[in-house]
Amino acid sequence: MIPNKHFYFRFPALAVALAASAALLLAACAGPAEPPAKPAPSPAAPARYHAEGDGLALTPPMGWYPWNIFGQEPQNEKLIREIADALVASGMKDAGYAYVGPDEGICFSRGADGVLTPNLQRYPSGLRGLGDYIHGLGLKYALYTDAGSKTCSTAMPGTKGNEQADMKSFADWRADYIKIDWCNSEGQDIVKTYSLLGQAQRAAGRPLIHSLSSWGDGYPWQWAGAIGHMWRTTSDICAPGAADWARALRIAFANEKLADYAGPGRWNDPDMMIVGMPGLTDAQNRTLFSLWCMMASPLIAGNDLRGMAPATIAVLTNLEAIAVNQDPLGKQGHVIWNDGNISLWAEKPLFDGSRAVLLLYQGKHRAEKKILWEEIGFAASDALYVRNLWTHETSGPLTGGVTVSAGPEEAAFIRVSKANDFPIPPIITADSYRIVLRSNGSDPQAPAATITMTNKGSAELGLWKIDPKSVPSWLSVSVQGGGKRQMFVNKASTAGLAKGAYHALVRADNIEPVTGRPMSAFYYDVDMEVTDGGR
Ligand code: GLA
């Protein structure tokens, strides 16, 4: 079977290795590669971002990936299905988590025809079958590959030389998200390689979130927004199964320096979260989650979702913290001062005029600190309300500032506003992302099925607009209901259709009503099977 090979320290970012002193090099071998301190925006920063076309990930993607807790060997269809079920049962789906699937552990091989072949021992339904199951739960399908000749463990083929065929396979399997690692890529030009993969993915015709995983190699924050939606900024947050608190904090402090590069559809990715992994306290879980929310980082859980402690579920599903992460302005908060023990994280304006603020305490005893209004973008004389995003209590109106307290390795995470109201931005969930219509071709019929979309946010949304280019002639889609609950009613017309299988990927778009900004596009699959029925 596949060897469970993982090399904890195998990815020091090239740039860091070149720049670091001998002492820093030693540190890099024992910890994450860190990006350089606040590099200036590159003159070559993309003029247009990839997400402007497909409308995907206009807020940070939310989901789950297996690597942090499981590593490679335990990944199989049974595990991924159980996790997907747990994602729904735990309430995480209702809080906005959607993307789920195998990481390295996907276990495909390359057939004699050059095409990727699923491992049916590990994934008996095939990789398309697993995707259909996930879509049926109202979740989105995430898959994995590598841009080099082989994946990181060398157990699976990478895409090198087969970019078009592989991206076609991911589209055929109905992936909505693909993470592309950078192992075994010696001699490859990083920008050319990921650009080629981006072109191949577009040619395959299925929009999906493209997650570049070069761990900061090649400074992806300077160019990857033109190709995909998110890029890893550092090496791995932990070895599989071994949460490492100090390492996670170092990664957060490396990632926060890149705040200028993030925005809707283009995210710095400090790796999957370690919330809920063995060995962490509830306070550490809350703190890590607060930091990832504050940095507008993709919220990809990395723990075992089966049998989670209620306290872990409460952290991962805290809608008031998620509201900061999913804010439509898409600003990445960052450190504005750090005295070694305490750091203040701010410059995270939110869609309603409020601001998120985080105070991280790394000392040994509980500390109190006054945050001044002028430090966080308000005037000293402003009368402001303060929402504690963990206790869900509001204080105020206060002038001048607010005193917060935090225990060792704990963050105070607050939202400050002129209004005593802390609205939640749109958080969209669906009862399914796939419908199946069946019909008898010799007896014209109009099979119909509905997808229901729910907004967990505060706003009543306008009606979603169906993209007519995404609706083939045999299908019509109307949007019914309104506000927080809308239905996509799909009707097929089989008159004149030959026997066979038909497929559409329907796209709908909406606008966030307060800011007037586009929301992430909503895509779902429609499959129709026309049988002759023997009449
Ligand atoms: C790299 C990535 C991890 C995981 C492993 C799989 O280390 O950074 O997230 O995908 O590869 O081998």
Side-chain angles (χ1 to χ4, degrees), residues 20 23 81 100 162 192 195 243 252 295 327 368 384 390 401 453 472 507:
R81 282 182 180 238
V100 56
N162 294 279
K192 283 194 186 139
S195 300
M295 293 192 292
D327 185 85
E368 286 203 335
L384 302 175
W390 287 110
M453 186 284 307
R507 171 176 178 165

Tab-separated table of all heavy atoms in Angstrom, residues 20 23 81 100 162 192 195 243 252 295 327 368 384 390 401 453 472 507:
chain	number	residue	atom	x	y	z
A	20	ALA	N	18.460	33.976	4.950
A	20	ALA	CA	18.659	33.857	6.397
A	20	ALA	C	20.125	33.754	6.783
A	20	ALA	O	20.953	33.270	6.022
A	20	ALA	CB	17.925	32.620	6.894
A	23	ALA	N	22.165	31.365	11.900
A	23	ALA	CA	21.292	31.128	13.056
A	23	ALA	C	19.850	30.983	12.615
A	23	ALA	O	19.135	30.090	13.066
A	23	ALA	CB	21.421	32.272	14.043
A	81	ARG	N	-16.268	10.199	3.961
A	81	ARG	CA	-17.733	10.250	4.131
A	81	ARG	C	-18.105	10.494	5.591
A	81	ARG	O	-19.021	11.262	5.889
A	81	ARG	CB	-18.377	8.939	3.662
A	81	ARG	CG	-18.492	8.834	2.158
A	81	ARG	CD	-19.183	7.523	1.798
A	81	ARG	NE	-19.307	7.379	0.378
A	81	ARG	CZ	-20.466	7.219	-0.271
A	81	ARG	NH1	-21.608	7.161	0.382
A	81	ARG	NH2	-20.495	7.088	-1.576
A	100	VAL	N	-14.662	19.858	1.385
A	100	VAL	CA	-14.172	18.678	2.100
A	100	VAL	C	-13.746	17.619	1.081
A	100	VAL	O	-14.352	17.491	0.022
A	100	VAL	CB	-15.276	18.143	3.062
A	100	VAL	CG1	-16.562	17.834	2.346
A	100	VAL	CG2	-14.804	16.953	3.866
A	162	ASN	N	1.292	16.418	-17.656
A	162	ASN	CA	-0.076	15.917	-17.882
A	162	ASN	C	-1.101	16.933	-17.390
A	162	ASN	O	-2.215	16.564	-16.993
A	162	ASN	CB	-0.291	14.598	-17.124
A	162	ASN	CG	0.569	13.483	-17.676
A	162	ASN	OD1	0.234	12.872	-18.679
A	162	ASN	ND2	1.702	13.248	-17.031
A	192	LYS	N	5.503	29.800	-14.169
A	192	LYS	CA	5.051	29.161	-15.426
A	192	LYS	C	4.245	27.896	-15.129
A	192	LYS	O	3.234	27.614	-15.770
A	192	LYS	CB	6.262	28.786	-16.290
A	192	LYS	CG	6.863	29.980	-16.994
A	192	LYS	CD	7.824	29.526	-18.078
A	192	LYS	CE	8.527	30.742	-18.654
A	192	LYS	NZ	9.938	30.520	-18.893
A	195	SER	N	0.842	28.784	-13.707
A	195	SER	CA	0.040	29.440	-14.760
A	195	SER	C	-0.505	28.399	-15.724
A	195	SER	O	-1.666	28.458	-16.138
A	195	SER	CB	0.885	30.441	-15.547
A	195	SER	OG	1.380	31.426	-14.702
A	243	ALA	N	-0.085	18.596	16.960
A	243	ALA	CA	-0.262	20.053	17.012
A	243	ALA	C	0.913	20.677	17.739
A	243	ALA	O	1.405	20.129	18.731
A	243	ALA	CB	-1.563	20.380	17.733
A	252	ALA	N	1.505	32.373	12.293
A	252	ALA	CA	0.590	33.524	12.293
A	252	ALA	C	1.374	34.825	12.148
A	252	ALA	O	1.006	35.715	11.383
A	252	ALA	CB	-0.237	33.533	13.578
A	295	MET	N	-7.138	37.326	10.384
A	295	MET	CA	-6.266	37.431	9.200
A	295	MET	C	-7.014	37.107	7.912
A	295	MET	O	-6.370	36.960	6.864
A	295	MET	CB	-5.055	36.503	9.346
A	295	MET	CG	-4.097	36.916	10.452
A	295	MET	SD	-2.520	36.029	10.392
A	295	MET	CE	-3.023	34.367	10.817
A	327	ASP	N	-16.145	38.615	6.324
A	327	ASP	CA	-16.565	39.974	6.000
A	327	ASP	C	-16.333	40.282	4.519
A	327	ASP	O	-15.254	39.996	3.992
A	327	ASP	CB	-15.770	40.967	6.857
A	327	ASP	CG	-16.274	42.366	6.617
A	327	ASP	OD1	-17.258	42.744	7.276
A	327	ASP	OD2	-15.724	43.056	5.737
A	368	GLU	N	-4.100	42.772	31.821
A	368	GLU	CA	-5.134	43.721	31.393
A	368	GLU	C	-4.467	44.788	30.555
A	368	GLU	O	-3.330	45.189	30.842
A	368	GLU	CB	-5.793	44.372	32.598
A	368	GLU	CG	-6.723	43.449	33.329
A	368	GLU	CD	-7.760	44.197	34.145
A	368	GLU	OE1	-7.500	45.353	34.524
A	368	GLU	OE2	-8.842	43.624	34.381
A	384	LEU	N	-18.436	54.362	21.719
A	384	LEU	CA	-18.432	53.106	20.951
A	384	LEU	C	-18.920	51.916	21.785
A	384	LEU	O	-18.701	51.867	22.999
A	384	LEU	CB	-17.016	52.811	20.451
A	384	LEU	CG	-16.385	53.896	19.565
A	384	LEU	CD1	-14.946	53.551	19.241
A	384	LEU	CD2	-17.191	54.087	18.284
A	390	TRP	N	-16.266	36.240	22.063
A	390	TRP	CA	-16.310	34.915	22.695
A	390	TRP	C	-17.366	34.823	23.799
A	390	TRP	O	-18.016	33.789	23.941
A	390	TRP	CB	-14.920	34.509	23.213
A	390	TRP	CG	-14.029	34.161	22.042
A	390	TRP	CD1	-12.970	34.877	21.586
A	390	TRP	CD2	-14.167	33.039	21.152
A	390	TRP	NE1	-12.436	34.277	20.469
A	390	TRP	CE2	-13.148	33.148	20.180
A	390	TRP	CE3	-15.055	31.953	21.069
A	390	TRP	CZ2	-12.986	32.220	19.152
A	390	TRP	CZ3	-14.887	31.027	20.047
A	390	TRP	CH2	-13.867	31.163	19.107
A	401	GLY	N	-11.437	54.424	25.059
A	401	GLY	CA	-10.901	53.088	24.797
A	401	GLY	C	-11.599	52.047	25.637
A	401	GLY	O	-12.584	52.346	26.326
A	453	MET	N	-31.383	27.456	-0.826
A	453	MET	CA	-30.216	28.197	-0.345
A	453	MET	C	-30.650	28.990	0.875
A	453	MET	O	-31.707	29.612	0.870
A	453	MET	CB	-29.761	29.113	-1.477
A	453	MET	CG	-28.511	29.866	-1.277
A	453	MET	SD	-28.663	31.258	-0.202
A	453	MET	CE	-30.011	32.129	-0.907
A	472	PRO	N	-28.350	25.293	-20.051
A	472	PRO	CA	-28.505	24.768	-21.421
A	472	PRO	C	-29.970	24.797	-21.867
A	472	PRO	O	-30.879	25.017	-21.058
A	472	PRO	CB	-27.998	23.335	-21.297
A	472	PRO	CG	-28.177	22.985	-19.869
A	472	PRO	CD	-28.077	24.246	-19.073
A	507	ARG	N	-24.782	28.574	-12.559
A	507	ARG	CA	-24.152	29.622	-11.741
A	507	ARG	C	-25.184	30.676	-11.360
A	507	ARG	O	-26.003	31.093	-12.192
A	507	ARG	CB	-23.024	30.291	-12.531
A	507	ARG	CG	-22.474	31.527	-11.839
A	507	ARG	CD	-21.288	32.140	-12.560
A	507	ARG	NE	-20.855	33.350	-11.857
A	507	ARG	CZ	-19.706	33.969	-12.047
A	507	ARG	NH1	-18.855	33.503	-12.936
A	507	ARG	NH2	-19.403	35.056	-11.371
